[in-house]
């Protein structure tokens, strides 16, 4: 007799996790026909397979869960009973979940002796890897057939976003993937099968057959190192299927007349196929042309002798990536109907790719800056080109082994939390949306005290960081108003004076700042900074100044950098420490190091490095073209992190040669023929296309930040775009790992995010009506499933006595009698 070890329903509720069908007994294997890791791995000796609903319409999961022999589960429960949260994490390790999508190629096969096998692709594994659920002989054929039919219905609903009841039998046949045999898994009691040359050859043969099955007009280039997709088995009645979002190459528009051609090269054209998750060869010989079409507009045109493939404007949203190791150029295309696609051009040698890169970057630069590329200094041109290549940076670790992330004690609850507080006691009254018209807009994380502050209209929510890495709502500062009683919505906030004060800015009066005393929960001072110099943004005097009694801080206007000293009478700007430029530099962001070195970025895209105020910058880092909307600096000043809309810019400020070797760009200027080595951090074009495919929106990053600690080095970078938070591993970035980031998707747009002080393992996330702290183990590698989002926990939260959870649970909801007017 077997039992399921599942505490998920007890913790999260089961309203959104309804099982539709279940196969109660079988074994789960992971079969890797081409992998050096071994041919076959037994994942669960005894398991159950089922299909369940999620919290989203038309989204379903295939779930395989380990089952235990009688008494075994109780024994393990006893061992883990001391910590319910670790118990919940252990339960997750006993369950494999897969989003039911046609990319899985879910199929069923009958074998000798009436054995039934369910199989689906491992989308996060290597080419050819498949999961196999081998049904127990006690499972009847009718059960398996019903399971397969429901799986097809779920895939239909996900693809077309409508109930399967509208589908004909022919519509469901498109999800019948029987084009290739399922590899044989190793029997439970036999040794693991050795991988043979024959099996490898057979797999490559299958891949070639798949290309033929896709009904392409020509055979793929055998020299191509890119993955080829497996076929989609559409029946003759495909035309009768309901219209779906196009996943194939779009029809090219009319090509404009070029005024000047910057580059024209021959290469292979590949298209990223969403269902298979691979680049598919479209044409073995195309001509790619970059041209100037006038008025600072530029055009990319790709065509062969037989077909016009692609025509598109060259703008920042194409997210260009040049990879000289694979002689490739990868980019995105956004069409007028809001669709996103990803393409790859592969050239014959380095010189060809270099010529094409020069032409395309010239076009992109001129489009962004409206300045001719020929007027840019040679070293600045090389700086721009280097930023768009997959470069290895110095001091990067040589080892490529994937390190394991340390386990952190955390259980996240993603259920929607209301920002409205009441004392209604009805059991079925579930509040998931607030009554006010405001949304959360800004976040300030405490360094000195374990508090976070979230701005919501003219209110500020105060949250305590608990020892178990949750957020506990403490209080609501209900009125943000000037000393004269005028209510306002803070545009920017900054903690100050050992986290006892909060510096606020009113967007309607940029020449003034306000000091809120957090012990009283109200604004007590109004500071006029300068009559003629408006404040764009402000920053602490040094990286950790908010932990001290340091009274001064820094500010910038569009063309000035200055110090603000609240102790001065009258205007608070310190005239002796004002650096004002005659030209319009259009400053946008400022950040400081532990020693008080200052970095200032602009909407033009350049960055200035100062060792002190009132003088010229020691180093000016050239612009790549996009405005910089956020800036952070590592505590030691080694790394400068700029945020642009579609990418991050990581710059090494340490000088490696010359008379100033070993000095930072803050301390001594770089030589005329030397510039800091840039690193452009961008999502891969394939992931950008998949993000857009899921959300209908392009990339727009929130200001990125390093993790911050007085004792340790920076190891991670956190940012967000749309409903995704993205954690970049700094070590993997420096050694040029592919996609060195992990992600987590939410149901709504992320408004603000930052690391908890002193760690890179916990992130505080703010959505429009929701705030929480999440552990890094909740973030996953970007796969089709993690990009689509795992919403199995996002059911309707249960309520008891008008409150949600306990004070320690991270999802506590106060009653009206518990709301107070002061934070402490």
């Amino acid at each position: 007799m077997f039992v399921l070890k599942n505490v998920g329903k007890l913790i999260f509720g089961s309203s959104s996790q309804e099982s539709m069908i279940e196969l109660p007994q079988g074994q789960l294997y992971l079969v890797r026909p081409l992998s050096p890791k071994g041919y076959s791995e037994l994942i669960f000796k005894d398991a159950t397979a089922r299909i369940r609903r999620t919290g989203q319409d038309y989204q379903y999961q295939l779930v395989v869960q380990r089952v235990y022999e009688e008494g075994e589960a109780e024994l393990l429960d006893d061992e883990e009973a001391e910590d319910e949260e670790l118990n919940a994490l252990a339960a997750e390790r006993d369950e494999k979940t897969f989003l039911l999508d046609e990319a899985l190629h879910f199929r069923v096969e009958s074998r000798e002796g009436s054995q039934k096998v369910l199989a689906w692709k491992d989308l996060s594994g290597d080419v050819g890897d498949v999961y196999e659920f081998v049904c127990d002989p006690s499972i009847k054929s009718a059960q398996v057939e019903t399971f397969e039919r429901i799986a097809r219905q779920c895939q239909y609903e996900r693809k077309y976003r409508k109930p399967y009841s509208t589908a004909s039998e022919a519509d469901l046949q498109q999800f019948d993937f029987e084009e290739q045999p399922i590899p044989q898994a190793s029997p439970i009691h036999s040794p693991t099968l050795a991988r043979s040359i024959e099996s490898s050859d057979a797999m490559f043969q299958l891949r070639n057959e798949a290309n033929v099955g896709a009904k392409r007009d020509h055979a793929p280039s055998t020299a191509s190192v890119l993955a080829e997709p497996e076929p989609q088995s559409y029946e003759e009645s495909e035309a009768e299927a309901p219209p779906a979002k196009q996943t194939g190459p779009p029809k090219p528009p009319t090509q404009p007349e070029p005024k000047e051609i910057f580059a024209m090269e021959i290469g292979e054209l590949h298209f990223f196929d969403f269902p298979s998750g691979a680049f598919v060869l479209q044409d073995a010989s195309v001509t790619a042309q970059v041209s100037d079409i006038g008025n600072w507009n530029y055009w990319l045109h790709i065509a062969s002798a037989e077909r016009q493939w692609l025509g598109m404007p060259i703008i920042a949203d194409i997210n260009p990536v040049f990879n000289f190791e694979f002689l490739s150029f990868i980019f995105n295309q956004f069409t007028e109907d809001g669709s996103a696609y990803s393409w790859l051009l592969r050239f014959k040698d380095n010189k060809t790719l270099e010529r094409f890169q020069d032409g395309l970057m010239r076009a992109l630069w001129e489009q962004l800056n409206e300045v001719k590329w020929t007027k840019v200094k040679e070293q600045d041109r090389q700086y721009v080109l280097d930023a768009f290549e997959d470069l290895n940076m110095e001091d990067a670790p040589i080892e490529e082994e994937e390190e394991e992330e340390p386990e952190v004690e955390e259980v996240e609850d993603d259920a929607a939390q209301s920002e409205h507080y009441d004392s209604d006691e009805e059991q079925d009254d579930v509040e998931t949306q607030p009554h006010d018209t405001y949304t959360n807009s800004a976040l300030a994380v405490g360094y000195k005290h374990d508090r976070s502050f979230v701005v919501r209209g003219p209110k500020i929510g105060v949250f305590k960081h608990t020892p178990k890495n949750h957020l506990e709502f403490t209080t609501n500062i209900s009125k943000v108003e000037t000393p004269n009683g005028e209510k306002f919505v803070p545009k920017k906030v900054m903690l100050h004076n050992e986290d006892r004060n909060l510096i606020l800015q009113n967007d309607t009066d940029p020449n003034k700042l306000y000091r809120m005393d957090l012990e009283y929960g109200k604004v007590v001072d109004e500071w006029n900074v300068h009559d003629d110099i408006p404040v764009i943004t402000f920053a602490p005097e040094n990286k950790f100044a908010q932990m001290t009694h340091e009274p001064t801080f820094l500010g910038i206007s569009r063309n000035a950098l200055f110090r603000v000293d609240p102790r001065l009478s009258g205007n608070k700007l310190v005239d002796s420490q004002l650096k004002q430029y005659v030209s319009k530099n259009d400053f946008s962001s400022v950040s400081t190091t532990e020693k008080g070195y200052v970095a200032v970025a602009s909407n033009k895209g350049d960055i200035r490095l100062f060792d002190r105020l009132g003088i010229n910058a020691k180093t000016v880092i050239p612009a790549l073209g996009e405005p910089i909307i956020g800036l952070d600096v590592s505590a030691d000043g080694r790394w400068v992190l700029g945020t642009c809309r579609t990418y991050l810019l990581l710059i090494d400020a340490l000088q490696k040669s010359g008379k100033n070797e070993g000095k930072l760009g803050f301390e001594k200027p770089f030589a005329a023929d030397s510039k800091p080595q840039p690193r452009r951090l961008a999502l891969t074009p394939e992931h950008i296309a998949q993000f857009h495919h899921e959300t209908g929106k392009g990339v727009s990053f929130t200001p990125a930040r390093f993790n911050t600690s007085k004792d340790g080095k920076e190891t991670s970078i956190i940012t967000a775009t749309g409903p995704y938070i993205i954690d970049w591993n700094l070590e993997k970035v420096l050694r040029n790992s592919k996609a060195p980031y992990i992600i987590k998707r939410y149901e709504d747009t992320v408004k603000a995010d930052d690391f908890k002080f002193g760690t890179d393992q916990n992130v505080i996330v703010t959505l429009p009506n929701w705030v929480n702290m999440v552990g890094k183990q909740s973030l996953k590698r970007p796969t089709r499933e993690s990009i689509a989002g795992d919403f199995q926990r996002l059911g309707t939260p249960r309520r008891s006595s008008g409150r949600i959870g306990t004070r320690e649970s991270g999802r506590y909801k106060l009653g009206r009698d518990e709301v107070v007017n002061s934070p402490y």
Side-chain angles (χ1 to χ4, degrees):
M1 181 178 179
F2 300 95
V3 295
L4 283 171
K5 183 170 179 285
N6 181 6
V7 297
K9 291 185 179 181
L10 297 177
I11 297 176
F12 304 111
S14 60
S15 60
S16 64
Q17 303 181 51
E18 177 186 345
S19 291
M20 303 167 65
I21 188 171
E22 180 177 297
L23 300 178
Q25 197 165 346
Q27 299 85 39
L28 180 66
Y29 293 88
L30 176 56
V31 182
R32 307 185 185 96
L34 299 176
S35 175
K37 301 175 185 177
Y39 178 87
S40 178
E41 177 186 352
L42 178 62
I43 305 298
F44 298 144
K45 180 180 177 181
D46 296 296
T48 181
R50 66 181 186 274
I51 296 174
R52 73 181 177 196
R53 305 179 190 275
T54 69
Q56 277 197 322
D57 291 339
Y58 310 127
Q59 307 288 337
Y60 303 89
Q61 289 177 324
L62 170 63
V63 182
V64 183
Q65 190 170 28
R66 180 181 176 184
V67 297
Y68 289 79
E69 294 185 11
E70 188 173 9
E72 185 181 0
E74 287 80 357
L75 179 61
L76 290 175
D77 284 340
D78 290 341
E79 293 175 356
E80 299 170 352
E82 294 181 2
D83 196 323
E84 293 182 0
E85 297 180 354
L86 288 179
N87 192 14
L89 290 175
E92 290 183 3
R93 290 194 292 269
D94 292 332
E95 182 177 275
K96 297 286 185 182
T97 60
F98 308 88
L99 185 68
L100 260 178
D101 183 271
E102 62 181 327
L104 289 179
H105 280 218
F106 178 85
R107 53 199 186 274
V108 176
E109 183 176 271
S110 297
R111 292 177 177 167
E112 295 182 6
S114 301
Q115 186 184 56
K116 298 286 186 180
V117 179
L118 282 58
W120 59 95
K121 294 172 65 173
D122 178 12
L123 298 179
S124 60
D126 298 326
V127 174
D129 290 3
V130 293
Y131 280 100
E132 296 185 21
F133 183 83
V134 181
C135 297
D136 187 81
S138 63
I139 304 297
K140 297 180 180 179
S141 297
Q143 291 177 273
V144 178
E145 291 171 2
T146 304
F147 194 97
E148 182 182 18
R149 180 170 184 82
I150 291 177
R152 291 180 188 174
Q153 294 169 350
C154 292
Q155 292 173 76
Y156 174 90
E157 291 196 4
R158 170 168 165 76
K159 181 172 183 178
Y160 297 109
R161 300 295 197 271
K162 56 169 51 177
Y164 74 87
S165 57
T166 63
S168 66
E169 192 63 33
D171 295 336
L172 298 178
Q173 284 297 318
Q174 64 181 288
F175 305 104
D176 183 7
F177 302 102
E178 295 181 353
E179 73 284 348
Q180 57 181 272
I182 299 172
Q184 184 75 35
S186 302
I188 295 177
H189 301 295
S190 69
T192 302
L193 298 178
R195 188 169 57 128
S196 66
I197 298 296
E198 289 78 7
S199 65
S200 299
D201 292 342
M203 183 55 68
F204 284 114
Q205 182 181 358
L206 287 173
R207 285 169 58 187
N208 290 332
E209 290 172 357
N211 293 328
V212 175
K215 299 181 181 179
R216 298 221 314 259
D217 295 332
H218 55 270
S221 168
T222 55
S224 176
V225 298
L226 299 166
E228 300 292 347
E230 296 169 3
Q232 300 182 45
S233 299
Y234 291 93
E235 302 295 332
E236 294 299 324
S237 59
E238 180 185 8
E240 300 175 6
K245 191 170 184 178
Q246 180 178 343
T247 57
K251 184 179 179 180
T254 303
Q255 306 302 312
E257 186 69 26
K259 296 183 178 297
E260 181 183 357
I261 296 175
F262 290 175
M264 183 183 292
E265 303 294 343
I266 295 175
E268 296 175 355
L269 180 64
H270 301 254
F271 177 76
F272 185 76
D273 179 63
F274 287 104
S276 65
F279 279 100
V280 183
L281 180 65
Q282 301 293 308
D283 202 319
S285 180
V286 297
T287 299
Q289 175 181 294
V290 176
S291 59
D292 181 355
I293 58 176
N295 297 321
W296 305 110
N297 294 312
Y298 304 84
W299 195 261
L300 174 61
H301 181 207
I302 300 175
S304 65
E306 296 80 21
R307 176 173 174 176
Q308 299 288 322
W309 280 103
L310 176 67
M312 56 181 284
I314 297 174
I315 55 176
D317 284 319
I318 71 173
N319 301 292
V321 175
F322 296 91
N323 188 307
F324 278 83
E325 180 182 358
F326 294 104
L327 303 175
S328 62
F329 166 58
I330 309 174
F331 60 100
N332 287 116
Q333 176 191 15
F334 296 88
T335 55
E336 292 182 357
D337 64 358
S339 300
Y341 306 94
S342 189
W343 296 87
L344 182 148
L345 280 169
R346 187 168 179 266
F347 299 96
K348 64 179 181 179
D349 54 37
N350 274 339
K351 289 185 177 180
T352 305
L353 179 56
E354 285 176 3
R355 290 194 301 268
F356 184 81
Q357 182 194 39
D358 287 344
L360 188 122
M361 292 311 301
R362 174 184 174 183
L364 184 60
W365 170 268
E366 292 185 6
Q367 191 275 328
L368 288 169
N369 295 277
E370 296 189 359
V371 174
K372 283 297 181 181
W373 182 246
T374 52
K375 294 184 178 181
V376 181
K377 296 178 182 178
E378 180 60 35
Q379 60 265 34
D380 288 353
R381 288 191 211 170
Q382 192 57 49
Y383 171 87
V384 174
L385 295 176
D386 288 347
F388 284 84
E389 292 179 15
D390 281 340
L391 294 177
N392 285 311
M393 300 187 76
E394 295 185 26
D395 299 336
I398 297 176
E399 295 295 328
E400 280 290 341
E401 295 178 1
E402 292 291 324
E403 70 278 4
E404 290 188 6
E405 298 288 354
E407 289 290 332
V408 178
E409 191 175 298
E410 191 269 347
V411 174
E412 182 196 357
D413 189 347
D414 285 341
Q417 297 184 42
S418 173
E419 289 292 333
H420 173 74
Y421 305 100
D422 59 36
S423 57
D424 191 350
E425 302 295 323
E426 292 184 21
Q427 292 283 344
D428 58 352
D429 175 22
V430 178
E431 182 96 52
T432 59
Q433 293 295 327
H435 287 175
D436 60 36
T437 58
Y438 297 105
T439 60
N440 299 329
S441 59
L443 169 69
V445 177
Y447 285 11
K448 185 73 173 181
H449 303 293
D450 286 330
R451 296 288 187 278
S452 286
F453 301 83
V454 178
V455 176
R456 182 184 182 83
K459 302 177 182 179
I460 297 177
V462 185
F463 297 84
K464 177 183 177 181
H465 307 168
T466 71
K468 291 188 177 182
N469 294 320
H470 292 295
L471 287 185
E472 176 186 308
F473 180 84
T474 303
T475 190
N476 177 32
I477 300 174
S478 58
K479 290 183 180 180
V480 177
E481 54 188 16
T482 68
N484 296 328
E486 298 176 5
K487 189 178 294 187
F488 70 94
V489 176
K491 172 190 174 185
K492 177 177 171 57
V493 296
M494 182 184 77
L495 286 162
H496 189 59
N497 189 23
E498 292 189 322
D499 289 352
R500 295 179 178 177
N501 297 332
L502 200 61
I503 309 301
L504 312 173
Q505 184 178 32
N506 184 357
D507 196 22
T508 61
D509 195 352
N511 295 77
K512 294 179 180 179
L513 297 175
Y514 301 90
R515 179 177 73 91
M516 173 177 282
D517 188 327
L518 292 174
E519 294 184 358
Y520 294 96
K522 65 178 182 179
V523 173
V524 294
D525 283 324
E526 179 181 297
W527 299 329
N528 191 66
V529 178
H530 196 279
D531 294 336
D532 302 318
I533 301 178
V535 179
I536 297 301
T537 189
F538 43 95
E541 190 273 340
N542 63 68
K543 187 79 170 180
F544 304 109
Q546 74 180 66
M547 303 180 71
T548 70
H549 289 292
E550 171 61 46
T552 69
F553 54 95
L554 309 184
I556 58 171
S557 69
R558 289 300 181 198
N559 65 333
L561 169 65
F562 49 85
R563 184 180 302 279
V564 177
D565 189 345
R567 298 169 297 184
L568 298 176
S569 60
N571 290 344
K572 307 302 180 183
L573 187 148
V574 180
D575 293 327
S576 62
Q577 297 191 49
L578 167 66
K579 175 60 182 177
Q580 194 162 16
Y581 293 83
V582 176
S583 59
K584 295 181 179 180
N585 289 309
D586 204 8
F587 291 146
S588 59
S589 307
V590 60
S591 186
T592 54
T593 71
E594 186 173 12
K595 290 184 177 180
Y597 299 152
V598 184
V600 180
S602 77
N603 284 319
K604 295 180 179 179
D606 54 17
I607 300 175
R608 287 172 166 78
L609 307 181
F610 302 82
D611 65 343
R612 61 187 184 277
L613 299 187
I615 62 170
N616 289 333
K618 287 289 193 293
T619 300
V620 179
I621 300 171
L624 295 185
E626 282 199 45
I628 294 178
I629 59 175
L631 192 66
D632 198 9
V633 185
S634 62
D636 62 3
R638 170 73 185 271
W639 303 105
V640 179
L641 179 65
T643 304
C644 299
R645 181 176 62 87
T646 60
Y647 61 86
L648 312 182
L649 189 61
L650 182 66
I651 300 164
D652 187 351
L654 183 66
Q655 302 189 48
K656 310 292 195 314
S657 61
K659 65 178 182 179
N660 294 327
E661 182 179 356
K663 294 290 186 180
L664 297 171
F666 292 95
E667 301 168 311
K668 296 289 183 180
F670 279 78
D673 60 349
S674 174
K675 286 292 179 186
Q677 188 177 34
R679 174 69 182 186
R680 178 178 173 273
L681 307 185
L683 303 176
T684 66
E686 313 93 274
H687 293 157
I688 292 173
Q690 290 181 72
F691 278 28
H692 192 283
H693 185 71
E694 289 289 338
T695 66
K697 298 179 181 178
V699 172
S700 182
F701 286 125
T702 60
R705 301 178 186 275
F706 291 113
N707 63 295
T708 309
S709 173
K710 285 282 289 183
D711 304 320
K713 291 284 186 179
E714 292 79 4
T715 56
S716 297
I717 297 168
I718 193 71
T719 184
T721 175
Y724 301 95
I725 58 170
I726 303 164
D727 183 295
W728 304 76
N729 183 302
L730 191 55
E731 181 179 317
K732 292 181 181 179
V733 167
L734 298 184
R735 71 186 187 211
N736 201 35
S737 297
K738 180 176 173 58
Y741 48 83
I742 51 179
I743 69 169
K744 180 174 177 61
R745 180 179 179 178
Y746 290 93
E747 287 189 297
D748 211 338
T749 301
V750 177
K751 306 295 288 187
D753 51 277
D754 200 356
F755 287 107
K756 177 184 176 183
F757 180 72
T759 181
D760 69 346
Q761 295 299 311
N762 299 97
V763 180
I764 297 163
V765 181
T766 302
L767 303 187
N769 299 303
W770 181 90
V771 184
N772 205 1
M773 186 186 297
V774 298
K776 183 175 283 189
Q777 72 271 24
S778 298
L779 280 69
K780 307 297 181 185
R781 289 174 51 200
T783 62
R784 283 184 60 86
E785 282 203 328
S786 60
I787 291 173
D790 181 2
F791 297 109
Q792 61 172 305
R793 296 184 182 182
L794 299 184
T796 303
R798 291 173 294 175
R799 289 202 34 197
S800 177
S801 302
R803 295 168 176 78
I804 294 180
T806 65
R807 282 189 175 272
E808 289 74 31
S809 68
R811 59 194 294 261
Y812 183 61
K813 178 174 175 180
L814 294 177
R816 181 175 295 160
D817 56 329
E818 294 174 284
V819 177
V820 293
N821 294 321
S822 64
Y824 307 109

